[in-house]
Amino acid sequence: MVTTTRAPAPPTEPAAGRPGGPLARLLRAVPVPLALIAMIALAGVVLGRVYADPLLARLILGAAIGSVLVSVAARRLPSWLVAPVSVAGLAGWALLSLRLAASHAALPGSLAAVAVDAARNAIPRLLTAMIPVEPAPDTVLVPVVAAWLTGLVAAEVALRTGRVLLGYLPPLLLYAGAVYVVGPNADPAITPTIVFIAVAAAGLAIPSHRNTSASGDPAAGLAPAVRAAVRLRLLAASAAGVVVMVALAAGLAPLLAARVSDRPVDPRRYVEPPQVESLDENPLIRISGWALNPDQKLLEVRTEAGAKASPRIRLAVLSDYDGVTWRVGATYRNAGRILPVTEPAPGVTTDTVRQQITVADLAGRLLPAVPTPREVTGARVAYDPDTGTLIRPEGLASGLRYTVTSAREQPDVNLLATANVPAGDAVARVLQVPEGAPEPLRRLATQLAEENGAPYARATAIQEFLAEHYRVTADAPSGHAYPNLAFFLFGPRNGGGQRGTSEQFAASFAVLGRLAGLPTRVVVGFAPGGDGPVRAADASAWPEVLFEGVGWVPFDPMPRPDQEPREVEADFRATPDNPPPSQVPEPTAEPTATPPAAAAPGPADRRGGLSTPVLVGGGIGTLVLLAALALLTLAVLRRNLTRARLHHGDPGRRIAGAWRELTDALRLAGRPAGGDLAAAEVAERARRTLAEARAARPGPSGAELVDGEPDELAGLLNQVAFAPHTATPAQADRAADLAGRYAAALRATRPWWRRLLWTVHPGPLRWRR
């Protein structure tokens, strides 16, 4: 009898919903991609706290979803093919993001022009943008690209190799970078950080299909004794891990909690904000030139809504006075279409004024607008919230047309009679009186203050004194230094004194007001008679006084039409020991042409599951990507710093920047110059350092440098230090050339790897400038 043995039946396919079924595999495959998307999106939430609206967070969420899904869909492709496919998706999403941002910010121009401008200036504009940042092409490009690349690297490492914890590194770095960029400009990101940790833990808690058997038990199929030993080891390892985590939490939690309230470093302090040329730093000296050319067309204005009477258009606010010149002294930050809103004082009402302004012959970078601007379309601007003034960093051009919506402030005049003026450190800048004020000025201010006790009465007395005793003439020389003001106020009338333009009237009021204890400033702008051309004859300067509960109030010290001025000696007489000046002081030199506006600063395996090449390649690729991004950022910041030092600002500032380039080169070469050395001693060290470096490394040394050129640069620096107003643009160009050639010559003596490090060394960004 033959006995047949039946072969065992093949195992049946697990049903859906049972361990190992399609639903179980799906549930194991979804959590890690979702965790990566959520972690990258949380970085966008953290960064979006300093943006004006949620557009950036939405664009980063789209980049996270797109990059991770591309990697998920391409898992069956060779690993070397995933990156090109993902980069193509990145290009498409980046262009769509730029289009959405440009439309949101109402920026003119084609998509190609917008993309090129954003790619060139994204990093510096992001770090110099005003808080809150408006989502614009140049402020969203870097975050969107960083989010997509983060998703690509994280998904490849976590999904293709199964190393989830290693795949969390790119999102963690992106999150830390977002926290750093925000800096002290928002509240601590406690809630997003807790959610970030929870999402990461959830992704780790669910095992993937690569490291879990069909039954879900790693010891399944082993002999009972071996199975017990394996389970015991797993239990011991888990217990040890819990102990280590609890110990780390107990040790680090107090330290981290103590750091929550610390004020972080703001990376924006490493980047030079947009600057104005000397022509715009002191626009008060342009009043006399405009007065001599009254028919010159500067602007074309059309009021679209709001104002029934033609409002004053403000060009600049000058708050700093050193006894020689009034200066703007503003810090401009790149701004979007919507400008930050500041609440007006309780005694001030506002009405909305919207004007379309077309630039004609007005030069410089200052952008005229009715105070206080709230929205600007048609031009990219930078804004100073302290003064409410605007600049166009690229400079004004004939034909430029923009629309500005302003909240015009109207103080309650009924509160002025009893209003006080503020005091203390907050207003020290607008109360400061430089040393050297002529004694007659002090005596006149004292006389007007003693006769009028209340602040508003003092301001009105100064206004009436100037309006009653002086006359306006278009041919008065420019100048508002102490000698110019003394001659204007007390000089003999038959010798050219006691007459001037609005420059002298506004400057005299502001100085007399500060001597009388009033916080004052000077405003330069235009007072057009209505819509249409704004000509040079409409240019004017006027003083403003700050009152508590009311804000800045303008005053008009100009004489009334057809009013014969009274004799100054009838109401004020200089003492014999301090006779009035009898000679006309030298007028302030007025620029006759606008310096060319500087260009905007400018700102990269086989399928094998757990195979070593894939794991090593993913890790190295992540490190190379992050390192390249960091080096590129440092190189762009260093280049922008050098450009700002050598090519922006007045000649004195550029010469000082050239000297800082030379001393930074010495520090980068390991031969820093001590702060106790004179300029000539530093120049001697610079010559000796270059000679020793060339002797130690003979051969081609890059730019040739004459031995005496560091001494020439030291001489230019001493000239700026002791005669700051004598430096010329040609001397500044010479200083920039000397500093650049010295740094190039010294860098050429370094080994190749030190030359590379020289370019991206972060030292000059943080060394005291």
Side-chain angles (χ1 to χ4, degrees), residues 728-739:
T728 65
Q731 290 175 322
D733 293 338
R734 175 62 175 168
D737 179 63
L738 293 175

Side-chain angles (χ1 to χ4, degrees), residues 379-394:
R380 191 179 65 83
V381 301
Y383 183 62
D384 175 42
D386 290 338
T387 61
T389 54
L390 300 165
I391 66 169
R392 184 173 186 254
E394 297 85 0

Side-chain angles (χ1 to χ4, degrees), residues 325-545:
T325 58
W326 284 90
R327 296 187 179 275
V328 172
T331 301
Y332 295 98
R333 293 287 183 184
N334 287 312
R337 177 172 53 92
I338 305 299
L339 302 177
V341 176
T342 55
E343 292 297 329
V348 175
T349 59
T350 61
D351 61 338
T352 301
V353 178
R354 186 167 65 251
Q355 289 185 325
Q356 184 184 85
I357 300 177
T358 304
V359 176
D361 291 340
L362 183 64
R365 297 185 181 181
L366 292 168
L367 203 66
V370 172
T372 302
R374 290 290 177 258
E375 179 180 347
V376 181
T377 58
R380 191 179 65 83
V381 301
Y383 183 62
D384 175 42
D386 290 338
T387 61
T389 54
L390 300 165
I391 66 169
R392 184 173 186 254
E394 297 85 0
L396 303 185
S398 181
L400 171 67
R401 179 175 298 172
Y402 61 96
T403 300
V404 56
T405 302
S406 304
R408 184 175 58 169
E409 299 180 351
Q410 297 177 332
D412 187 352
V413 295
N414 297 321
L415 301 176
L416 290 175
T418 58
N420 204 348
V421 292
D425 295 338
V427 292
R429 177 183 182 185
V430 291
L431 279 169
Q432 181 181 6
V433 179
E435 295 183 358
E439 185 60 27
L441 262 74
R442 294 185 178 274
R443 292 185 59 251
L444 177 58
T446 301
Q447 173 183 320
L448 296 175
E450 289 176 348
E451 297 174 355
N452 303 274
Y456 181 68
R458 274 178 272 161
T460 303
I462 298 173
Q463 172 182 268
E464 293 177 351
F465 186 88
L466 294 174
E468 293 175 358
H469 295 85
Y470 303 94
R471 71 173 71 240
V472 179
T473 57
D475 60 347
S478 174
H480 46 266
Y482 278 150
N484 301 91
L485 298 185
F487 184 80
F488 166 71
L489 292 171
F490 311 113
R493 182 169 296 179
N494 56 5
Q498 303 180 30
R499 63 187 184 94
T501 64
S502 61
E503 172 188 357
Q504 286 77 36
F505 281 88
S508 298
F509 182 103
V511 173
L512 290 171
R514 291 190 179 185
L515 290 171
L518 302 175
T520 62
R521 65 186 188 184
V522 175
V523 180
V524 178
F526 308 96
D531 286 358
V534 176
R535 304 192 182 277
D538 300 318
S540 179
W542 62 89
E544 292 183 346
V545 180

